[in-house]
Amino acid sequence: MSKQELAVIGQGDACCPGVSTAPLDDERAAELAKAFKALGDPVRLRLLSMIASREGGEVCVCEMTPAFDLSQPTISHHLKLLRQAGLIDCERRGTWVYYWVLPEALDHLAAFLRTPTATGAPA
């Protein structure tokens, strides 16, 4: 498995205006679309959830594969797309590959989707 450089997206809310703050420029829209596209597949969304909810913060691919009615290469492909979107990272340890979520990437997406709460607005 090759190691690849992942750009760190979003270093805080100050650099990452939300959806209701200002219109997106082309570059930022493309960056966010890559992450949202990766999350647009039910298998990838479940994989991300399995990894993120795991106590200890990481999970072996050998533990995820049995949860799906898919081949191991297909699971690896979905994990690769999540990695390319900058949502997870991994490390090979012997025969197995362990995955973990990149919290700053999820925080970045959450900050983008967050809308300001208007005072006096109906709940």
Side-chain angles (χ1 to χ4, degrees):
M1 182 170 293
S2 67
K3 296 243 179 190
Q4 56 182 324
E5 294 290 320
L6 295 176
V8 176
I9 53 177
Q11 296 293 323
D13 291 350
C15 73
C16 308
V19 68
S20 63
T21 305
L24 290 174
D25 61 29
D26 290 343
E27 183 178 329
R28 181 134 160 75
E31 171 189 309
L32 287 165
K34 188 174 182 180
F36 285 119
K37 183 175 181 181
L39 293 174
D41 182 275
V43 171
R44 290 192 290 271
L45 197 53
R46 284 186 59 208
L47 285 166
L48 183 72
S49 175
M50 289 176 76
I51 298 166
S53 65
R54 181 59 161 234
E55 190 171 325
E58 63 183 32
V59 64
C60 178
V61 69
C62 64
E63 298 173 73
M64 292 185 279
T65 304
F68 298 89
D69 190 24
L70 298 169
S71 68
Q72 185 277 325
T74 301
I75 297 296
S76 292
H77 171 73
H78 285 294
L79 290 166
K80 176 184 171 186
L81 293 176
L82 289 170
R83 279 183 45 241
Q84 289 175 338
L87 300 170
I88 63 173
D89 204 356
C90 66
E91 176 181 73
R92 179 174 293 282
R93 298 180 195 156
T95 305
W96 301 110
V97 179
Y98 289 79
Y99 291 87
W100 58 88
V101 168
L102 297 173
E104 64 277 2
L106 299 184
D107 291 345
H108 177 69
L109 295 177
F112 172 72
L113 292 173
R114 193 171 302 119
T115 57
T117 306
T119 306

